[in-house]
């Protein structure tokens, strides 16, 4: 099972960390949405949501996640586009 969550979007001191972990093996991968996504036009256009979806895709590739492996993904707004991508791609996921 894969768990996906974020940290840092409440304070935005250094961007937002998006992490994914395979529970059974404790394999963990992460990337950061840079603080620049929360400024100016990028913020107004909610580009951080696109970047979050990109990061989730990359993390799942890095962890070699299969389509039948269960994914628990944070139910927060940060993952709106990531959840849509999971759905469109046919992954087995639940909001958590």
């Amino acid at each position: 099972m894969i768990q996906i969550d974020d940290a840092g979007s409440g304070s935005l001191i250094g961007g937002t960390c998006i992490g994914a972990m395979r529970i059974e093996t404790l394999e963990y991968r992460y990337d950061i949405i840079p603080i620049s996504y929360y400024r100016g036009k990028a913020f107004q256009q909610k580009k951080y949501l696109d970047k979050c979806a990109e990061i989730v895709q990359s993390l799942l590739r890095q962890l070699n996640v299969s389509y039948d492996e269960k994914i628990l993904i944070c139910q927060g707004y940060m993952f709106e586009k990531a959840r849509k991508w999971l759905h469109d791609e046919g992954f087995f996921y639940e909001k958590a």
Side-chain angles (χ1 to χ4, degrees):
M1 176 188 328
I2 302 294
Q3 289 183 334
I4 301 172
D5 203 357
D6 68 314
S9 59
S11 63
L12 296 177
I13 292 172
T16 302
C17 178
I18 305 296
M21 182 173 68
R22 180 173 278 118
I23 299 303
E24 296 80 9
T25 62
L26 300 181
E27 292 171 85
Y28 176 73
R29 301 290 186 275
Y30 73 93
D31 200 349
I32 304 290
I33 301 173
I35 195 74
S36 61
Y37 281 77
Y38 299 97
R39 295 187 182 134
K41 278 191 173 185
F43 181 70
Q44 292 170 355
Q45 297 172 352
K46 298 184 179 184
K47 293 293 185 181
Y48 52 89
L49 299 178
D50 296 321
K51 185 63 175 177
C52 179
E54 282 178 34
I55 290 173
V56 167
Q57 292 171 40
S58 174
L59 299 178
L60 294 183
R61 279 193 305 271
Q62 291 174 47
L63 290 169
N64 198 28
V65 175
S66 66
Y67 285 93
D68 60 343
E69 189 167 4
K70 185 175 184 178
I71 298 170
L72 295 179
I73 187 168
C74 176
Q75 61 186 340
Y77 76 95
M78 182 65 68
F79 295 95
E80 286 176 3
K81 291 189 176 185
R83 286 191 299 267
K84 180 178 180 341
W85 178 81
L86 289 169
H87 173 78
D88 291 349
E89 290 296 312
F91 281 96
F92 176 54
Y93 77 97
E94 293 179 13
K95 295 179 188 179

